[in-house]
Amino acid sequence: IQSLIAEQPHSLGKVEPAWHLAVGRALARQTTPVRDGEGVVYVRTHDARVSVQLELHRRTIETRLRDILGPHG
């Protein structure tokens, strides 16, 4: 399934589920991924404490996203 997902264009419809898988349900509920025209994903948070948690786990989250979205994700 991951290889099929990785081959698809990086639309917001693809990024949102990947984000949920990468960060888990609790963080996903407190954040909103936003993909810009260049394919960069920004994350809006509902609380500054969540921003701190995301920054602490940034490398792990990025690795998980690349695993799900493919090497160009």
Side-chain angles (χ1 to χ4, degrees), residues 3-29:
S3 64
L4 291 173
I5 292 172
E7 293 174 13
Q8 300 303 312
H10 293 141
S11 65
L12 188 56
K14 179 181 173 183
V15 171
E16 284 182 346
W19 177 254
H20 283 250
L21 287 171
V23 300
R25 181 180 286 176
L27 278 177
R29 280 194 307 242

Side-chain angles (χ1 to χ4, degrees), residues 16-59:
E16 284 182 346
W19 177 254
H20 283 250
L21 287 171
V23 300
R25 181 180 286 176
L27 278 177
R29 280 194 307 242
Q30 298 178 51
T31 58
T32 304
V34 180
R35 182 184 173 274
D36 73 4
E38 300 295 318
V40 176
V41 175
Y42 295 93
V43 180
R44 291 188 181 131
T45 63
H46 304 271
D47 187 320
R49 292 173 291 181
V50 174
S51 297
V52 171
Q53 290 301 310
L54 290 176
E55 191 58 40
L56 286 172
H57 300 288
R58 180 180 183 151
R59 289 186 185 188

